[in-house]
Amino acid sequence: MSLAPARPRTPAPPDAVPPRRAGLLVSGVLFLVLPVLLGTLVRGSVRRPPFQGLDDTWLRWMGGPHDGVPHALASGLNWFGGPYGALVPLAATVALFALRRPRAALFVLASTLATQLAVQGLKHLVDRPRPAHPLVTVDHGSFPSGHAATMATTVILVAALLPAVRRRRWWPGAVLLTVAMMWSRTWLHAHWLTDTAAGALAGAGVTLLVWWAFGSVRRSRPQA
């Protein structure tokens, strides 16, 4: 019985981008461009940007009372996005190196640093005043929210490190956590609503672009 010769596979063009990676690139660029455009509008009139009416209305809805369960939740989220919360990605980086997953560790470290650079750069360029009488200690610049950016970065890092099947189940929780952080920053009068939206978009955009640059971050550990 004769066997037909196997057809040689046609190699993919060297510059071809797999659909998933192309999606990361397009989404990352889009998410990053939006806060830059919002920042440009704010920079044109830092006291009264075009959407200040929306921000004022939302802040009135966040009037209080500031106690009970909402206070505990907002305080916990405030801690996570603050200086002490920076220990979380640092611990994750160390743990991934210890588990002999250096590519994943470098991905976490690069995403965290890139997000902070993007946020601080926008803060200095836009220099928007914060709402009056914030209920927590804040630094300069209201736009964008560093806490919202940190949460968006964190949930995407988790998604990137999960298997594809579990990743799909993670996204609803990831969105919920990000929205909760956005709420907490406005409830504490630390940010305007649009600051938090811009921060979440910036954190997501930067992290998606780093994910695109790294490609797969779930490669198997090297054999001993």
Side-chain angles (χ1 to χ4, degrees):
M1 183 175 65
S2 61
L3 297 176
R7 295 181 180 178
R9 293 183 179 179
T10 304
D15 57 344
V17 180
R20 186 181 68 82
R21 289 197 68 194
L24 293 176
L25 177 60
V26 172
S27 299
V29 170
L30 178 62
F31 286 177
L32 197 53
V33 164
L34 288 174
V36 171
L37 293 177
L38 282 173
T40 302
L41 292 174
V42 175
R43 181 61 182 164
S45 178
V46 292
R47 296 287 178 182
R48 295 295 305 178
F51 37 77
Q52 187 62 49
L54 170 65
D55 284 335
D56 288 339
T57 299
W58 181 264
L59 194 65
R60 285 196 297 271
W61 291 349
M62 298 292 104
H66 293 89
D67 53 18
V69 174
H71 176 73
L73 176 59
S75 297
L77 291 170
N78 179 65
W79 178 92
F80 178 81
Y84 293 110
L87 296 175
V88 175
L90 179 60
T93 301
V94 172
L96 288 167
F97 270 119
L99 292 171
R100 300 171 65 193
R101 296 183 62 184
R103 189 178 185 84
L106 291 174
F107 168 61
V108 171
L109 185 60
S111 298
T112 303
L113 293 177
T115 297
Q116 293 306 312
L117 286 173
V119 168
Q120 292 304 319
L122 283 171
K123 279 181 177 288
H124 281 86
L125 287 172
V126 177
D127 198 25
R128 185 185 192 185
R130 290 181 183 266
H133 312 301
L135 303 179
V136 290
T137 302
V138 294
D139 59 8
H140 75 93
S142 187
F143 183 99
S145 167
H147 283 65
T150 296
M151 181 60 80
T153 292
T154 301
V155 298
I156 293 177
L157 288 175
V158 172
L161 297 172
L162 286 174
V165 175
R166 295 180 62 187
R167 186 181 301 154
R168 297 188 190 98
R169 300 171 184 168
W170 166 246
W171 286 124
V175 172
L176 180 62
L177 286 170
T178 304
V179 170
M181 180 64 85
M182 293 170 61
W183 160 81
S184 73
R185 301 313 289 161
T186 57
W187 191 82
L188 292 169
H189 291 203
H191 283 285
W192 306 102
L193 176 63
T194 49
D195 299 338
T196 64
L201 288 168
V206 168
T207 310
L208 288 171
L209 288 177
V210 176
W211 188 357
W212 169 80
F214 269 74
S216 175
V217 293
R218 299 198 68 256
R219 293 177 181 175
S220 58
R221 293 177 294 180
Q223 298 295 324

